[in-house]
């Protein structure tokens, strides 16, 4: 668990509920989600200041919804660029695959392009508003110790800055959000499984202020001579990614002169464009074999520390956001003593299969893109062009349901993504449903009445202690279904009541209001048991 003898000068420790290693978007988001719930959080970051250059450029509607619940999407809204189309074309310009934009089930555009520096800044500002969250810059994780060795004892998180100074953070839980080369993963001796597809790419980000909107906004050029990606990097930005061919040197290729020459071939105007960043990467596909490790299982992994994927599905950041949305409410219940520690086993059990699925999709798409053999490319084109011509643009598919882990009681639609749409409230105007209900919390919803009215007193008291809300969402109700989206959704579900988890996934649905107690009682039993089936 340690990387060597500790430097001699130790500074007094700090007591926190959760120590988060890594102050990237995933680590900061988790800190906010826990800080909003009042938990003491310390975020440790080895760099002296936030990374202020573009990296991630895409989020989906589910990601935007979680960021909405964290209070940062309003700051980002005007900086994001909704995607209207994502086309994959061959060397002749023929369409191999076309995805359309539109509004997703989470109430946001199904695909938004942004600059990570803007997201990072919004998260930092929000984290500073959480009085129980502390950010430590220029401190590097040195070792993890098991405290006094007693079951349930805190971990000693030893961090170093300016050797020989060491500071100890005593934490009930440690979460590694420290990226692909995670120190937390290494210190817990957690290995990764390689799922294939490793290619070298050069990534170049350009500022393009005042340029017309690109059409299509996002483009994948499947040319065997040089597979290339050309996408939005947020408003006023353009990203290009160029495959480094086998006989090319990555470092020599990742130069301003080279990327300028390549980008101009795909329409980037030299006048008014500014190269902001160029970097060489090896895209890989890996999933950690354990997401919960360390003494007493008190160390967890999230984001790139738990999984890395090629960028072709645009799900790298999204997967990390889904990780912490799932993990935050479970840590909250465990810290509050409302669920046993075994509840945290459901984190990996629910998230790892979906992350593996996302990595697999990214690999499959990469195998379409990264074809450099002309004959193989011709075979690919012959198979894909007729299908794309016949089907035309297709909508971005909804995220798959969670595996039946926590919600294993036979209720309908368990694990499915819950929708969000605009609602009115008592004639006070229209807002997004999560904001009106209070986002990132348990909720019972029905078009026929308030499901909480059907809970017996003791069960209703338990539900309220859990922080649960309840509402009727229907035309003319207290929560006015102004667009009819909820009426249509409940009709599709053939259900009268849904129980929505704080990560916006359904615990389950029942056919009548009178069945609401069964739904809540099953949840109480699952949390009391807090163990895998």
């Amino acid at each position: 668990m340690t990387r060597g003898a500790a430097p001699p000068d130790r500074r007094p420790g700090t007591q926190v509920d959760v120590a988060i290693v890594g102050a990237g978007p995933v680590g900061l988001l988790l800190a906010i989600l826990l800080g909003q719930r009042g938990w003491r959080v310390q975020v440790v970051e080895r760099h002296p200041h936030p990374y202020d250059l573009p990296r991630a450029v895409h989020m989906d509607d589910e990601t935007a919804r979680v960021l909405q619940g964290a209070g940062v999407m309003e700051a980002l809204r005007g900086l994001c660029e909704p995607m209207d189309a994502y086309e994959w074309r061959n060397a002749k310009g023929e369409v191999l695959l076309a995805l359309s934009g539109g509004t997703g089930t989470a109430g946001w555009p199904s695909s938004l392009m942004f600059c990570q520096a803007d997201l990072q800044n919004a998260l930092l500002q929000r984290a500073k508003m959480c009085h129980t969250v502390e950010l430590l810059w220029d401190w590097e994780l040195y070792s993890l110790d098991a405290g006094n060795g007693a079951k349930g004892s805190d971990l000693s998180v030893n961090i170093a800055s300016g050797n020989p100074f060491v500071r100890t953070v005593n934490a009930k839980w440690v979460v590694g959000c420290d990226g692909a080369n995670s120190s937390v993963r290494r210190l817990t001796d957690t290995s990764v499984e390689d799922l294939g597809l490793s290619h070298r790419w050069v990534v170049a980000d350009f500022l393009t202020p005042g340029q017309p909107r690109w059409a299509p906004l996002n483009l994948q050029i499947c040319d065997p001579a040089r597979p290339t990606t050309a996408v939005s990097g947020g408003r006023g930005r353009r990203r290009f990614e160029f495959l480094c061919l086998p006989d090319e040197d990555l470092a020599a290729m990742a130069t301003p002169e080279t990327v300028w020459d390549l980008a101009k071939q795909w329409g980037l105007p030299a006048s008014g464009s500014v190269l902001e960043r160029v970097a060489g990467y090896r895209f890989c596909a890996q999933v950690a074999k354990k997401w919960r490790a360390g003494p007493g299982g008190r160390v967890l992994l999230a984001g790139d520390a738990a999984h890395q994927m090629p960028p072709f599905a645009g799900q790298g950041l999204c997967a990390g956001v889904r990780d912490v949305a799932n993990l935050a409410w479970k840590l909250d219940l465990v810290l509050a003593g409302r669920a046993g520690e075994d509840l945290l086993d459901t984190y990996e059990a629910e998230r790892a299969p979906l992350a593996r699925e996302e990595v697999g999709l990214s690999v499959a798409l990469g195998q379409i893109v990264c074809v450099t053999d002309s004959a193989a490319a011709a075979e690919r084109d012959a198979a894909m062009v007729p299908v794309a011509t016949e089907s035309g643009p297709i909508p971005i598919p909804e995220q798959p349901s969670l595996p039946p882990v926590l919600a294993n009681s036979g209720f309908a639609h368990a694990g499915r993504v819950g929708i969000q749409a605009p609602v009115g409230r008592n004639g006070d105007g229209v807002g997004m449903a999560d904001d009106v209900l209070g986002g990132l919390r348990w909720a019972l919803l029905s078009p026929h009445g308030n499901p909480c009215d059907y809970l017996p007193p003791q069960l209703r008291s338990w539900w309220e202690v859990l922080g649960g809300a309840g509402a009727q969402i229907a035309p003319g109700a207290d929560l006015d279904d102004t667009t009819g989206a909820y009426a249509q959704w409940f009709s599709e579900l053939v259900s009268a009541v849904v129980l929505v988890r704080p990560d916006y996934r359904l615990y389950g649905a029942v056919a009548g209001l009178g069945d609401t107690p069964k739904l809540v009682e099953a949840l109480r039993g699952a949390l009391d048991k807090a163990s895998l089936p």
Side-chain angles (χ1 to χ4, degrees):
M1 289 296 291
T2 64
R3 71 176 188 184
D9 187 355
R10 289 182 177 271
R11 293 181 176 179
T14 302
Q15 180 68 52
V16 299
D17 297 304
V18 180
I20 298 171
V21 182
V26 172
L28 287 175
L29 177 60
L30 178 58
I32 293 166
L33 297 181
L34 292 172
Q36 287 181 158
R37 293 170 164 97
W39 300 113
R40 297 164 299 169
V41 180
Q42 198 158 68
V43 184
V44 179
E45 171 55 55
R46 65 186 179 90
H47 290 105
H49 50 71
Y51 191 85
D52 59 358
L53 292 174
R55 280 189 289 188
V57 295
H58 173 264
M59 73 173 77
D60 57 23
D61 59 305
E62 188 179 7
T63 299
R65 186 181 187 181
V66 175
L67 293 173
Q68 172 194 345
V72 300
M73 272 311 290
E74 277 307 309
L76 278 177
R77 185 190 294 270
L79 302 173
C80 294
E81 191 166 21
M83 187 199 80
D84 52 2
Y86 182 21
E87 289 188 2
W88 294 43
R89 297 177 181 172
N90 62 14
K92 299 177 183 178
E94 298 170 311
V95 175
L96 304 176
L97 175 68
L99 298 173
S100 62
T103 300
T105 57
W108 289 88
S110 55
S111 183
L112 282 166
M113 311 305 293
F114 70 100
C115 175
Q116 179 168 321
D118 293 333
L119 171 61
Q120 188 90 2
N121 183 60
L123 289 166
L124 275 171
Q125 297 309 311
R126 182 71 183 104
K128 291 176 182 177
M129 297 171 64
C130 298
H131 301 304
T132 59
V133 173
E134 182 183 9
L135 303 175
L136 294 179
W137 300 98
D138 202 20
W139 285 86
E140 185 172 3
L141 177 64
Y142 188 86
S143 66
L144 291 169
D145 297 327
N148 62 17
K151 184 178 180 180
S153 63
D154 292 355
L155 293 180
S156 295
V157 184
N158 302 310
I159 56 178
S161 180
N163 190 36
F165 300 116
V166 165
R167 177 176 176 177
T168 298
V169 179
N170 297 309
K172 294 181 174 66
W173 299 92
V174 176
V175 185
C177 302
D178 50 343
N181 299 312
S182 170
S183 296
V184 175
R185 193 178 64 224
R186 174 175 54 81
L187 288 172
T188 55
D189 295 322
T190 300
S191 59
V192 298
E193 179 183 358
D194 196 302
L195 300 181
L197 193 75
S198 177
H199 292 282
R200 301 171 305 152
W201 285 73
V202 172
V203 178
D205 290 284
F206 292 88
L207 294 169
T208 58
Q211 297 295 335
R213 182 179 173 90
W214 294 72
L217 186 66
N218 292 342
L219 181 63
Q220 194 74 58
I221 303 148
C222 305
D223 182 351
R226 172 88 66 195
T228 299
T229 302
V231 298
S232 168
R235 293 191 186 277
R237 287 184 165 88
R238 193 71 174 164
R239 165 166 293 180
F240 289 89
E241 298 170 357
F242 306 104
L243 179 66
C244 185
L245 301 175
D247 59 346
E248 293 178 323
D249 180 77
L250 181 62
M253 186 179 167
T255 64
E257 296 78 16
T258 301
V259 297
W260 267 112
D261 288 342
L262 291 170
K264 284 187 287 189
Q265 296 175 28
W266 298 106
L268 181 76
S271 175
S273 299
V274 177
L275 178 60
E276 189 176 20
R277 180 188 75 130
V278 58
Y281 287 97
R282 181 177 289 276
F283 295 160
C284 61
Q286 297 178 336
V287 178
K289 292 184 178 179
K290 292 187 298 182
W291 292 34
R292 183 182 180 191
R298 305 185 83 75
V299 180
L300 301 123
L301 300 177
D304 285 354
H307 44 70
Q308 300 100 56
M309 62 192 75
F312 306 110
Q315 290 298 302
L317 173 74
C318 302
V321 169
R322 280 189 277 274
D323 290 344
V324 298
N326 186 294
L327 180 58
W329 68 263
K330 294 175 180 178
L331 278 170
D332 175 53
L333 291 183
V334 172
L335 286 165
R338 297 193 183 106
E341 293 180 5
D342 286 349
L343 177 64
L344 294 173
D345 289 333
T346 70
Y347 166 57
E348 177 181 345
E350 289 186 338
R351 280 296 305 142
L354 294 193
R356 182 180 295 273
E357 201 170 314
E358 290 163 337
V359 174
L361 174 61
S362 299
V363 169
L365 294 175
Q367 290 169 338
I368 296 171
V369 175
C370 302
V371 176
T372 56
D373 178 79
S374 298
E379 291 182 11
R380 174 200 65 197
D381 298 351
M384 294 186 70
V385 170
V387 175
T389 301
E390 181 177 344
S391 63
I394 58 176
I396 297 173
E398 181 181 317
Q399 282 293 315
S401 296
L402 294 174
V405 179
L406 180 65
N408 194 41
S409 51
F411 290 110
H413 308 299
R416 181 171 173 171
V417 178
I419 72 165
Q420 179 186 213
V423 296
R425 180 127 203 190
N426 298 323
D428 291 337
V430 176
M432 296 300 285
D434 292 347
D435 293 335
V436 175
L437 283 167
L440 297 164
R441 65 186 302 186
W442 299 92
L444 285 165
L445 305 176
S446 173
H448 306 303
N450 189 330
C452 291
D453 294 340
Y454 292 78
L455 296 177
Q458 186 179 24
L459 194 57
R460 181 161 186 167
S461 177
W462 178 87
W463 176 250
E464 291 172 351
V465 169
L466 190 68
Q472 178 186 12
I473 300 184
D478 285 347
L479 263 61
D480 189 354
D481 183 13
T482 57
T483 66
Y486 283 95
Q488 180 179 344
W489 185 54
F490 277 103
S491 177
E492 292 171 356
L493 297 180
V494 194
S495 300
V497 180
V498 294
L499 198 167
V500 187
R501 303 180 352 169
D503 54 4
Y504 307 125
R505 298 288 181 140
L506 299 189
Y507 176 74
V510 290
L513 280 166
D515 295 322
T516 304
K518 297 179 183 177
L519 194 57
V520 177
E521 189 61 63
L523 173 63
R524 180 165 69 172
L527 296 181
D528 285 346
K529 185 179 179 184
S531 61
L532 291 171

